[in-house]
């Protein structure tokens, strides 16, 4: 084994002091990033740096001096590193000590733009409508998109013979029988079919079946109708539906809520009117319009909940009354944002969606 020359503690400390001075001079003398980096390698280089060499000689310091030697070494190491850091800063290099890298940085190049994701315009509209109805005291309620005959038709006063049940106007589902094993062909159960809900009025029934009045809810969700897609139709769209049932709810309450709801979304100066209409589940029924761009535009359907419907969910029509209204969300969103074709909303082209 090669035996190293013994080094006294004093000698070791003197060497370190000298090195610190040298390094400090070299860093101070550096006038550009390249010179500074050279000096860094010379003094702080991990393999052949001068500090590393002195560190190796520490093994030759007598044992009783080792502790002091170690402390001194650390202090000098830190001082040299600090000397480098401040020189680096002085030269404006930065970049974790890699002074060279800075040369390739062109601060005149355009930066990378951060794109923040956004909610779909329909989701934004839903959130806004939900907020408006929330301020009027209506709590959100939800229901399934696959519905049964009772909730989509029967309970809503749409009997078996009613034209609203026409298969051309509804997405009926064929359901494989649970009993027939392999050979079971999906079948349409004509007496009690399942279907994709054609209106959110189904949620009225589900809520009233499970709750006693007073009821004040709003439901927002998808509905399905086999319409051919064109600029204003799509086989899936969204509806918002409000329902209020309590003692002595009147048509005047309905008018007030419709007006507040419409003007909150469209603007306070937008005229709203109500005219007679027909729906199986409301009596009387009305249609609401608002005046926009020089003409009356259909807002949605509404009316006083038909006594038959109240009876179907176990309410007493002599004790409570209520109103309901429902409307398409896409149309509102399109009017507000001047969207000319409903299909844009569902083709998921980010160039379109990014605008909202
Ligand atoms: N469900 C009706 C429709 O889809 C709208 C409506 C809801 C009408 C509630 C009256 C009461 O057109």
């Amino acid at each position: 084994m090669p035996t190293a020359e013994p080094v006294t503690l004093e000698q070791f400390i003197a060497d370190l002091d000298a090195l610190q001075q040298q390094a400090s001079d070299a860093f101070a003398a550096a006038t550009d990033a390249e010179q500074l980096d050279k000096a860094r390698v010379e003094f702080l280089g991990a393999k052949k740096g001068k500090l590393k060499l002195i560190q190796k000689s520490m093994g030759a310091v007598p044992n009783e001096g080792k502790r002091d030697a170690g402390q001194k070494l650390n202090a000098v190491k830190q001082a040299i590193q600090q000397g480098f850091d401040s020189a680096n800063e002085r030269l404006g290099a930065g970049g974790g000590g890699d002074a060279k890298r800075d040369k390739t940085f062109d601060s005149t190049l355009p930066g990378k733009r951060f794109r923040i994701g956004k909610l779909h315009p329909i989701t934004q509209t839903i959130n806004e409508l939900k907020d408006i109805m929330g301020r009027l005291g209506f709590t959100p309620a939800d229901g399934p998109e696959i519905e049964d005959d009772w909730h989509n038709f029967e309970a809503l006063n749409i009997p078996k013979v009613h034209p609203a049940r026409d298969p051309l106007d509804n997405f009926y589902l064929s359901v494989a029988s649970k009993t027939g094993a392999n050979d079971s062909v999906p079948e349409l159960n004509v007496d009690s079919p399942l279907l994709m809900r054609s209106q959110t009025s189904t949620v009225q029934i589900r809520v009233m079946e499970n709750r006693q009045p007073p009821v004040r809810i709003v439901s927002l969700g998808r509905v399905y109708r086999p319409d051919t897609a064109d600029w204003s139709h799509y086989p899936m769209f969204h509806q918002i539906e409000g329902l209020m049932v309590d003692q002595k709810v009147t048509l005047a309450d309905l008018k007030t809520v419709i007006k507040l709801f419409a003007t909150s979304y469209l603007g306070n100066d937008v005229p709203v009117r109500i005219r007679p209409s027909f729906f199986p589940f409301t009596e009387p029924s009305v249609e609401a319009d608002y005046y926009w761009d020089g003409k009356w535009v259909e807002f949605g359907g509404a009316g006083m909940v038909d006594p038959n419907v109240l009876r179907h969910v176990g309410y007493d029509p002599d004790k409570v009354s209520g109103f309901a209204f429902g409307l398409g969300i896409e149309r509102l969103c399109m009017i507000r944002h001047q969207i000319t074709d409903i299909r844009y909303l569902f083709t998921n082209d980010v160039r379109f969606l990014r605008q909202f």
Side-chain angles (χ1 to χ4, degrees):
M1 273 223 329
T3 46
E5 289 273 310
V7 178
T8 63
L9 177 61
E10 291 71 30
Q11 184 60 47
F12 184 72
I13 287 176
D15 286 353
L16 281 172
D17 282 336
L19 187 73
Q20 185 177 336
Q21 189 55 51
Q22 273 180 40
S24 152
D25 292 347
F27 293 152
T31 52
D32 62 24
E34 206 169 330
Q35 286 178 12
L36 180 63
D37 200 53
K38 244 190 199 152
R40 180 185 64 80
V41 173
E42 181 181 346
F43 293 98
L44 292 168
K47 278 192 182 145
K48 294 188 181 153
K50 287 184 172 163
L51 187 69
K52 207 76 197 172
L53 294 179
I54 297 194
Q55 188 178 344
K56 281 182 187 152
S57 74
M58 200 170 94
V61 174
N63 277 346
E64 63 273 18
K66 281 237 163 58
R67 217 172 75 105
D68 290 346
Q71 275 173 6
K72 180 69 183 174
L73 180 78
N74 280 336
V76 168
K77 192 175 183 175
Q78 254 182 32
I80 295 182
Q81 181 64 48
Q82 269 167 20
F84 168 77
D85 289 345
S86 48
N88 201 23
E89 226 164 84
R90 171 172 56 83
L91 295 174
D98 187 358
K100 266 187 203 154
R101 190 190 300 162
D102 207 51
K103 282 196 159 172
T104 64
F105 179 73
D106 182 349
S107 62
T108 63
L109 284 175
K112 268 194 192 150
R113 188 134 137 219
F114 281 104
R115 282 237 165 75
I116 296 178
K118 286 185 186 174
L119 294 174
H120 190 279
I122 289 296
T123 312
Q124 291 181 32
T125 311
I126 286 178
N127 289 346
E128 192 175 338
L129 299 180
K130 211 192 276 180
D131 274 2
I132 293 173
M133 291 306 291
R135 290 201 293 274
L136 294 173
F138 289 74
T139 327
D142 224 344
E145 289 178 19
I146 294 178
E147 266 299 2
D148 53 29
D149 183 65
W150 173 254
H151 293 97
N152 202 85
F153 297 128
E154 203 70 41
L156 286 165
N157 210 25
I158 304 173
K160 287 270 181 303
V161 293
H162 200 282
R165 290 170 172 258
D166 194 325
L168 291 175
D169 295 331
N170 294 283
F171 283 115
Y172 285 104
L173 299 175
S174 304
V175 182
S177 111
K178 286 197 186 100
T179 46
N182 299 331
D183 54 350
S184 95
V185 176
E187 260 182 61
L188 185 62
N189 180 343
V190 207
D191 295 324
S192 161
L194 289 179
L195 74 163
M196 305 305 290
R197 70 177 175 197
S198 60
Q199 50 188 352
T200 42
S201 302
T202 54
V203 182
Q204 289 184 34
I205 304 299
R206 289 191 173 270
V207 169
M208 289 192 288
E209 280 175 335
N210 292 309
R211 235 186 266 177
Q212 286 306 307
V215 167
R216 215 194 290 192
I217 53 116
V218 60
S219 64
L220 303 103
R222 297 176 177 201
V223 299
Y224 301 83
R225 296 179 190 175
D227 289 327
T228 308
D230 62 23
W231 72 270
S232 68
H233 291 89
Y234 206 74
M236 180 283 300
F237 61 100
H238 297 75
Q239 276 190 336
I240 173 172
E241 177 118 357
L243 168 73
M244 174 167 175
V245 184
D246 203 346
Q247 291 169 11
K248 300 197 180 90
V249 174
T250 68
L251 196 65
D253 298 317
L254 170 61
K255 276 176 86 170
T256 309
V257 168
I258 291 254
K259 178 143 178 90
L260 282 173
F261 176 53
T263 51
S264 299
Y265 185 74
L266 297 163
N268 276 336
D269 50 343
V270 174
V272 178
R273 77 173 181 193
I274 278 173
R275 60 193 160 82
S277 183
F278 174 81
F279 297 100
F281 33 90
T282 46
E283 180 58 36
S285 302
V286 299
E287 199 104 36
D289 307 316
Y290 56 91
Y291 198 74
W292 193 269
D293 244 1
K295 55 180 187 292
W296 288 100
V297 184
E298 192 185 311
F299 184 57
M304 301 307 292
V305 182
D306 193 290
N308 277 342
V309 174
L310 295 175
R311 260 180 233 118
H312 281 146
V313 296
Y315 288 5
D316 181 350
D318 292 329
K319 296 211 174 103
V320 292
S321 55
F323 67 74
F325 65 89
L327 50 112
I329 292 176
E330 277 74 5
R331 206 180 315 157
L332 281 182
C333 171
M334 287 168 70
I335 283 266
R336 163 79 85 77
H337 296 295
Q338 296 172 352
I339 297 168
T340 50
D341 193 318
I342 191 174
R343 289 168 292 195
Y344 286 138
L345 289 168
F346 303 120
T347 32
N348 279 340
D349 184 334
V350 281
R351 290 169 303 180
F352 170 78
L353 295 173
R354 203 180 272 156
Q355 303 174 72
F356 302 97

